[in-house]
Amino acid sequence: MSSLISWFKAGRTSGQYTLPFVVILLSMTVLASVANLLLPQESIFYVSTYSITLLGKYLCYAMLALAVDIIWGYCGILSLGHGAFFALGGYAMGMYLMRQIGDRGVYGNPILPDFMVFLDWQELPWFWLGMDQFWFAMIMAVVVPGLLAFVFGWLAFRSRVTGVYLSIMTQALTYALLLSFFRNEMGFGGNNGLTDFKEILGFDLQSDLTRVALFITTALLLALVLLVSQRILSSRLGKVTLAVRDSEARTRFIGYRTERYKVWLFVYSAVIAGIAGALYVPQVGIINPGEFSPINSIEIVIWVAVGGRGTLIGAIIGALLVNYAKTRFTAIMPDGWLFALGALFVLVTLFLPKGLIGLYGQIQSKRQASVTQEASK
Amino acid sequence: MKAIDQSIQGFRETFRRDLVWPFLAPEKITNVDVSNQMILYVEGLNLSFDGFKALNDLNLYIKDGELRCLIGANGAGKTTLMDVITGKTTPDSGSVFFGQTHNLLSKDEADIAQLGIGRKFQKPTVFEEQTVFDNLELSLKTDKRVIQTLFSRLSPTEMDRIDEVLNIIGLKEQCFMKAGALSHGQKQWLEIGMLLVSDPRLLLIDEPVAGMTAQETERTAELLTSLAGERTVIVVEHDMEFVRSIARTVTVLHQGSVLAEGSMDQIQSNQDVIQVYLGEDAMEAEL
Amino acid sequence: MISMKKVSQLYGGTQILWDLDLDIEPGSITCIMGRNGVGKTTLMKAIMGLLPIKRGEILMAQDALHKQSAEQRAYAGIGYVPQGRDIFPMLTVEENLRIGLPVKKRKDIPEKVFELFPVLKEMLHRRGGDLSGGQQQQLAIGRALVLEPKVLILDEPNEGIQPNIVKQIGDVILKLNAEENLTVILIEQKLGFARRVGKEFRLMEKGRIVAADKMENLNDELIKQYLAV
Amino acid sequence: MNRILRLCLCFLVLTIPSLSLAVETQSLLQQLTKAKLSQMPNMLEQLEAQGDETLLPIFRAWLGGNLYYKRDDRQLLVKQKINSSTLYVDAFNQQVQADLTSKKVRKIKVNNKLRGLLRGTIARLQLTSKNTELRQAAVRELMADLDAETFNTLEDLYPNEPNASVQEMMQTALSLYVAKDSQHSQSVRLSAIEFLAQSLENDVRNGLIELTQDTNAVVASAAQKALNKINQSVERYAFVDQLFFGLSLGSVLLLASIGLAITFGVMGVINMAHGEMIMLGAYTTYVVQLIMPNYIDYSIWVAIPAAFLVSGLMGVVIERLVICRLHGRPLETLLATFGISLILQQLVRTIFSPLNRQVSTPSWMSGSWEINPVLSLTLNRLYILAFALLVFIALVLILKKSALGLNVRAVSQNRNMAKAMGVKTEWVDAMTFGLGSGIAGIAGVALSQLTNVGPNLGQAYIIDSFMVVVFGGVGNLLGTLVAAFTLGIANKFLEPTTGAVLAAILVLVFIILFIQKRPKGLFPQKGRAAE
Amino acid sequence: ADTIKVGVLHSLSGTMAISETTLKDTVLMMVEEQNKKGGLLGKKLEAVVVDPASNWPLFAEKARELLTEDQVDVIFGCWTSVSRKSVLPVIEELNGLMFYPVQYEGEESSYNVFYTGAAPNQQAIPAVNYLKDELGVERWVLAGTDYVYPRTTNKILEAYLKDMGVAEDDIMINYTPFGHSDWQSIVSDIKKFGSAGKKTAVVSTINGDANVPFYKELGNQGISSEDIPVVAFSVGEEELSGLDTAPLVGHLAAWNYFQSVETDENEEFITKWQAYTKNPERVTNDPMEATFIGFNMWANAVTEAGTTDVDAVEKAMIGQETPNLTGGIAVMNKNHHLSKPVLIGEIQDDGQFETVWETDGVVPGDAWSDFLPGSKDLVADWTDPLKCGNYNTETKMCSGQNY
Ligand SMILES: Nc1ncnc2c1ncn2[C@@H]1O[C@H](COP(=O)(O)OP(=O)(O)OP(=O)(O)O)[C@@H](O)[C@H]1O
Ligand SMILES: Nc1ncnc2c1ncn2[C@@H]1O[C@H](COP(=O)(O)OP(=O)(O)OP(=O)(O)O)[C@@H](O)[C@H]1O
Ligand SMILES: NC(N)=O
Ligand SMILES: [Mg+2]
Ligand SMILES: [Mg+2]
């Protein structure tokens, strides 16, 4: 019995790196923030506002990758449409920020955003009502993606749409939303989307302090989401999730209503994506239908794969790394960066089948192999 | 006015908590009604695949606590019958009742499993990416709703139960090995183990001893016999020695319907059975 | 016919086969036995070339088999009936059987297959995956016979087979062995069958061959030592 | 209308009669070289009044933008293209003017308005042409606004017209004039309207619409009746038209997705580089046309096999270098092929520049097949529809009848077992991937005739391709066919009422809902085996 | 710094690379040119090229990178309006300077941006006038890609046409998604719409990639320019180079520049460009001219101001005059828009345009349209005392922030 308990403890090691990772993440965040706010620009340790914004954006992507990893890595649902939830969260935030502009828009209309004025809209569409309240907008930022995920997931999982069929349907979903949001009639600013934000909760979006605050908020939320997800996934629910991934039919035969597990996990993941989107918008300053584009969603999946799927930290690292690579490559070799990025994807797939995180395991198992070999001699 | 009334009525009906929103519906805690001694009623089952009749007016009654052997030629429909009972396949016609009240045909796999019907598949299917331990933990008889699962803890009794089963199936050493890395026979055992921890009312066991050595076969026989009484067990096997060692009643399926039913000796001397299944000199060949 | 010298094999970090030696005489029927998980299937896969071996060599009539790919070994005359059957589920029975035809440059499925397993003829146009377990097993053997192999590897061929067909499979093996001098390597757990069909036996334990002899000499002591739990 | 233009052009080259023009006319023509665009309509009128058929070649050259003059002495020239070399001949005496470069000449301007006028002029002059088609075109051109003078000419010509259909066209034109002309008696007008009711000519319809407002109530109601009748058949043809649009869109979807049906549907590789294989095919077409600029008409026949080879070889290379190392890891193929698609796009951008490349349409594929005035099917799409079906059938045959087809399926279902059965899995993989990619390349040839040949070509089709394959049911070629045409037709029947954007959205929503009913596509793989 | 840094913010990959790469090369050519002349203020120019990859948030990020990390003195960049909208807050926050070289929908005037492309009144309105007056067009198809530029332009045109007494029934408006490639139904609808006996024309604000299949379909369905002329605002020489133009002869485009215009400046520019790209077939187009004008004006303004300081340069920019490539002088107005001539050209079978009409003089770009209810009272004037991008002449207020 006691031996079993010790096994039991030993068996649940998947989360052992989470806490150290969170600690590193948060201390880096604090250091960067302090370096930005307190150090003089001339200091070599100064972190520019550009870098802070960039880091903030990366962290939003990391959260998005985390959301995808939860359902793809752990539940086997390959969503090629997660960008949609991200974008919906982003739009909710964007609408709030848009309303915050008030009469400081170019046409000086206190109610209507500029794009409505010059397209001759007479009044605010109903779905814009209440979006001037921060709390309401934030509720929408999680409720709308969550609700969409719920409806979509409920339909799809109940009908047992699985595998590539599901993936392509999620893609169809985001594609349909892309086309819809492009339409100016929708009332979301069409292709231009929402931009030209001024302030959030009364704080000037262009001030360094606000930026740092947003950055820290993102880091904190990312850490929180990571911890909660880790907790969920290492509970028995996590095991059921893995079971669903490996053999959904078998899981049903031992009495789990797999579709409910999938729906809730999908909703959870969509909500995280929505939160990531809401954090993303004030930091990059624009939300437009491009975020719905299927290619974006595919890229998210790729971040996860590069980092190592089925490992939450891997997803985060993958998102950070790929996006950092993108930033560097586009600046260093604007004409050839796609070669580098493409090659990166191919090479990671070929040589790091379990992603960057798997590299660690790969090295370890090599070492182990040589140890056993020696032992056998 | 009436129309409005009706639509309100309809609306109410649609939004009855227990009907439309399966997510919100309270989980039914059920008892199997076995007041007639029977636990499983299979009546007039028909099922065809593209014209091929896999089940043909099949009738089968299983007593509560019985250990029933189901034999029959390859392709007779044994596995298909289990598929129907466990909700994997829907028959063209017929009825399947669990106890007197539960119509299995109107339930899905998870419901049926939660009613207490457990199954071991012909081809061992385990969660390959998870450890043997986790495979067992997942199969435990617990509340399997989402929220409850999220907050569940492994209780000491449950741990003891798993420990016990690990001993029975002889995979204690492989406890934290990924189930995918087990050999074929080990997977068979693991699946039996998963069945054991789930503590079902009715066990459907499809070819448990395939790929086991003689001794292991014996052990399995013991195990199954010990299970019967408390539970009801239906075993499908082609190993006649094994069948004889456990069987009280044997049912022979042929081309989707029951060919013969009786004690092992009756069956072994039944000419039809010998012809389509056992072979003329079956017993000598076996030994 | 086939001889293995000091073959070692690993899965990831765990070694399964340990410097294993094995000799199979031409025209023999060798029965390989051992408890679950000792590495029987692994050994067969190594012979077939489906798993790379870490060390050692596998020879077939002087040819270095271990240097060839699996498909070359099929051409060299090894037929394989895997454990778990591995039917191509979405191919019809006929297509399952036709796969191997090019090896012998044949156009049609040898009639012999249908003589041995008449069910297959009935089910010719059904998908392999739809067949019952036992039917699949027959298909798997039939499929290997299409290759007209010199060595036939059967990994627990009787798993899930109805008694009269088990007998029939036994007869088939004996017949092929007698008439065509087919070398058979058979993994079998059921002693009765092993005794009836096998001429030689090899006992395995923990990735090694621990006993090898004529079938007559398989005594209770050995059984108790290596096969009992 | 283009046809006339082209006909004119080829006539120019063939018939070069020397012109003997009145001095007056010559000097008027000479003035063209100095005139402003705004003065030209006036001058054209004068020219027509003075001249006759002999001026036709000059008018045609003018219309086609081939009338030039020398910068120095303002000599009037006609530009001619013979076998891709340009030469200038004197407009009057047909003497070839040697070593005139484009720098030394100037074009006589022609604009839209002038072209319209020129066409009228040419038509009037051409009413008596020997060529039946030209005559017919001339009548049609003049039909809309016949003036009294032309009416009389036509009336004179009518009885002697040898060709029946030209005669009918003339009668239509005459009837239209009569029907509109209140000078004629009511009964004459009514019978003219009755005749017009058989015509589908656009001008007739417009004329009748006008007539429904006629002061003569009887005529107006007769016109309305005739109009209703015409509208009925127009609607019927409109339906056929729409169906054709749907089939055509379907054929494009089919072509785009059919290669994917192999690499993804059969082999299970989530091939994000499929679009780039199409793109390579399109660029191959471009290169082929570059190599044989004088044989554009035949270039397609070279381009099809070339594109198949180029994309196919690229497919084989990708398979050998990357995909083959990812067996049993289908999801990873998504990642790797996405990387490859990025690389290929950038490669094309580097080699060919990011700009679109110009791929010409062979003349036999341009224009449309005019069945009647309201129904004409564009030739390029007609050919592509037929081509798509042909490719589909060929592919089905390959997969069903050849050993390759059987082997691929076996390999994709159980690689190890296939190996054990002596299947050369590596070769099969390479060939299959090559085949799928090669077919994508062929699709690229077809698409180059319809759309941009640029680095983004592939991206534009990848989503649709996956959608079609999945909607049809993965691994089912027939499903791909049906799915492609279903989506194409659905889209085209929605578009007129909803607009293109909404139609696309609705089709997507339809797919999402449909999949709920059939979670494995239109033609799912059934049975135990599929689990 | 010992160099003057010129940021280039054009997409080199993704959907917009097709159009924007050319502009990147144009700027690089201009920089090289200027350096041959000895640079500016005694310093060499150094181009800093980044690739925002047709990704709108990335435009903002890259703009910030250029301004804060690379410390560029000026940015030449953007094509789509959304990319401009995306970088605008960044440029204003960091007080950068950007030149935007593409025709756009107007309704904007920022202190930090100079608009060298055409505003709707420099392209759309003259084109419609031409169609109406010269070709007698009575029925109008307004076809566009579904995004802000076409929407706004069409709104303006619709209002304008209705002002001129065109009936609702005689206007057909159609929007298509980006990259729309199946034009069968729409072209067929246009054909039907145009066969009602009244002269019909299509005003096309169809964008980039969708044009090739659109024109191919026009050609194949046999719609000739005499029947239904199409006048486009987004189709230039570069777009035509991807097309066989033989069937399209006579269709129109309205721009401020055509390659075919014969002036010495233009000839020189084309020669330099073809030499720079080492491609004698390479074409030029309107946004290139806009870049050319913008660059020259900036260079002059810097010289005049003696510094690259944004505020000084901004001041010096207003009133700058630079020769157009098509003749005449372009002037930078107080609203940061140019005065330029408007040309209308017909497509020729060699892929060039032939000018068939042009304005007598230059037309000043109007930041705020007179035909939109929300903006007809707005004016932009960046000189004292107004110093406002959106001054409301009714309420006498400068709304919101400084643009
Ligand atoms: N989904 C299906 N599609 C077509 N045929 C099927 C399907 N499922 C089962 N069958 C056929 O139904 C028959 C009964 O199959 P079943 O698996 O129940 O047999 P079984 O009695 O379990 O045989 P075994 O002892 O060999 O396992 C077989 O002939 C099989 O081919
Ligand atoms: N894919 C794998 N990865 C890791 N270990 C494996 C893998 N497959 C098998 N093994 C291990 O290798 C050992 C030998 O397996 P093998 O399948 O050869 O046994 P076997 O003798 O055929 O047993 P059985 O009689 O049950 O079929 C087993 O202990 C098993 O746990
Ligand atoms: N400004 C444009 N053309 O988007
Ligand atoms: Mg069975
Ligand atoms: Mg085995």
Side-chain angles (χ1 to χ4, degrees), chain A residues 50 57 105 107 196 288 337, chain E residues 51 56 61 65 107 399 403:
Chain A
Y50 163 73
K57 185 176 104 167
Y107 301 102
D196 188 25
N288 95 329
W337 68 277
Chain E
D51 178 14
W56 318 136
E61 181 187 317
E65 183 179 325
E107 304 300 297
S399 162
Y403 65 92

Side-chain angles (χ1 to χ4, degrees), chain B residues 50 52 72-76 122-123 183-186 188-189 207 209-217 219 238-240 274-279 281-282 285-287, chain C residues 34-38 41 83-85 123 126-127 130 132-135 138 156 158-167 189-193 196 223-224 227-229:
Chain B
D50 309 321
F52 174 84
N74 293 128
Q122 182 164 5
K123 181 169 175 255
S183 81
H184 187 78
Q186 290 167 327
Q188 291 269 40
W189 276 112
E207 307 204 4
V209 302
M212 286 186 183
T213 59
Q215 273 69 19
E216 287 175 314
T217 308
R219 253 182 51 199
H238 290 294
D239 184 334
M240 281 305 114
I274 289 175
Q275 209 212 315
V276 302
Y277 184 66
L278 294 172
D281 39 16
E286 257 317 295
L287 295 171
Chain C
R35 295 193 189 95
N36 289 139
V38 292
T41 300
Q83 185 167 26
R85 316 180 253 278
M123 312 243 145
R126 197 152 338 157
R127 269 184 299 249
D130 288 345
S132 80
Q135 293 163 340
Q138 300 178 42
E156 310 209 16
N158 294 323
E159 222 183 80
I161 303 288
Q162 65 188 79
N164 53 350
I165 304 224
V166 170
K167 177 168 182 303
Q189 301 281 36
K190 304 278 179 274
L191 271 176
F193 187 83
R196 180 165 81 93
I223 292 174
K224 191 153 185 193
L227 297 180
V229 216

Side-chain angles (χ1 to χ4, degrees), chain B:
Chain B
M1 218 42 237
K2 213 171 169 191
I4 295 175
D5 254 15
Q6 264 174 1
S7 50
I8 290 177
Q9 202 60 41
F11 187 78
R12 287 214 180 109
E13 195 60 24
T14 352
F15 280 85
R16 263 176 60 182
R17 247 161 68 83
D18 50 333
L19 283 188
V20 183
W21 307 104
F23 298 96
L24 307 175
E27 211 76 11
K28 278 159 261 157
I29 296 149
T30 43
N31 276 314
V32 188
D33 178 359
V34 288
S35 50
N36 285 359
Q37 311 298 312
M38 287 292 174
I39 195 162
L40 187 71
Y41 303 76
V42 175
E43 285 168 351
L45 222 47
N46 281 296
L47 173 60
S48 60
F49 298 105
D50 309 321
F52 174 84
K53 285 204 127 211
L55 295 179
N56 188 2
D57 193 23
L58 178 73
N59 295 292
L60 186 70
Y61 303 91
I62 308 286
K63 279 214 209 64
D64 189 25
E66 190 183 0
L67 195 167
R68 174 75 65 96
C69 281
L70 208 54
I71 63 174
N74 293 128
K78 306 179 292 295
T79 303
T80 308
L81 173 62
M82 293 197 168
D83 286 349
V84 171
I85 296 173
T86 53
K88 189 177 177 203
T89 310
T90 321
D92 301 338
S93 64
S95 67
V96 181
F97 271 81
F98 186 50
Q100 299 197 49
T101 46
H102 297 294
N103 178 3
L104 294 185
L105 295 186
S106 67
K107 299 188 176 2
D108 66 11
E109 299 98 315
D111 268 337
I112 294 172
Q114 288 186 1
L115 279 176
I117 300 183
R119 175 171 183 188
K120 182 208 156 295
F121 288 82
Q122 182 164 5
K123 181 169 175 255
T125 41
V126 294
F127 302 114
E128 311 235 333
E129 285 296 310
Q130 307 209 48
T131 62
V132 169
F133 185 91
D134 287 345
N135 267 278
L136 293 175
E137 184 187 338
L138 282 175
S139 316
L140 281 171
K141 181 179 183 173
T142 50
D143 194 333
K144 287 176 175 162
R145 281 174 292 173
V146 180
I147 301 297
Q148 280 74 5
T149 308
L150 175 60
F151 293 110
S152 69
R153 288 277 159 284
L154 210 50
S155 70
T157 14
E158 286 173 335
M159 245 187 260
D160 285 345
R161 177 71 185 142
I162 293 179
D163 204 22
E164 192 185 323
V165 168
L166 277 171
N167 276 323
I168 297 176
I169 61 177
L171 290 177
K172 195 144 188 175
E173 261 176 59
Q174 286 85 355
C175 179
F176 291 120
M177 218 162 127
K178 288 243 169 92
L182 296 178
S183 81
H184 187 78
Q186 290 167 327
K187 283 182 192 159
Q188 291 269 40
W189 276 112
L190 176 55
E191 241 205 313
I192 294 175
M194 289 165 72
L195 204 52
L196 292 179
V197 291
S198 74
D199 200 16
R201 218 24 223 278
L202 170 66
L203 290 82
L204 305 173
I205 303 181
D206 208 350
E207 307 204 4
V209 302
M212 286 186 183
T213 59
Q215 273 69 19
E216 287 175 314
T217 308
E218 263 171 47
R219 253 182 51 199
T220 313
E222 274 167 35
L223 180 68
L224 293 185
T225 344
S226 75
L227 285 175
E230 184 84 355
R231 301 157 225 281
T232 315
V233 183
I234 303 178
V235 186
V236 169
E237 229 339 308
H238 290 294
D239 184 334
M240 281 305 114
E241 201 186 341
F242 172 79
V243 172
R244 189 166 27 213
S245 69
I246 59 167
R248 285 145 228 185
T249 322
V250 177
T251 303
V252 185
L253 249 50
H254 185 59
Q255 295 182 348
S257 44
V258 176
L259 178 71
E261 199 167 287
S263 72
M264 192 64 202
D265 289 332
Q266 287 169 330
I267 295 298
Q268 263 176 333
S269 49
N270 184 319
Q271 272 312 309
D272 291 340
V273 179
I274 289 175
Q275 209 212 315
V276 302
Y277 184 66
L278 294 172
E280 294 301 336
D281 39 16
M283 286 304 107
E284 301 94 85
E286 257 317 295
L287 295 171

Side-chain angles (χ1 to χ4, degrees), chain A residues 3 16 35 70 118 162 194 276 305 315 355:
Chain A
S3 62
Q16 63 182 332
I70 289 168
F118 78 68
T162 51
L194 311 177

Side-chain angles (χ1 to χ4, degrees), chain D residues 35-87:
Chain D
K36 282 209 174 130
L37 263 174
S38 53
Q39 303 165 328
M40 286 188 180
N42 220 334
M43 296 170 67
L44 178 62
E45 220 167 275
Q46 291 177 35
L47 273 172
E48 192 189 339
Q50 290 176 9
D52 53 12
E53 261 184 281
T54 47
L55 271 176
L56 266 178
I58 288 183
F59 285 159
R60 285 174 185 143
W62 194 4
L63 178 66
N66 290 315
L67 200 57
Y68 282 76
Y69 63 90
K70 257 203 222 153
R71 275 183 171 197
D72 43 13
D73 63 358
R74 306 210 168 244
Q75 180 188 1
L76 213 51
L77 303 167
V78 172
K79 181 165 114 180
Q80 299 192 347
K81 271 213 166 97
I82 294 168
N83 291 341
S84 81
S85 64
T86 313
L87 45 98

Side-chain angles (χ1 to χ4, degrees), chain E residues 54-66:
Chain E
S54 312
N55 177 329
W56 318 136
L58 204 54
F59 266 91
E61 181 187 317
K62 290 286 156 192
R64 190 177 289 279
E65 183 179 325
L66 285 175

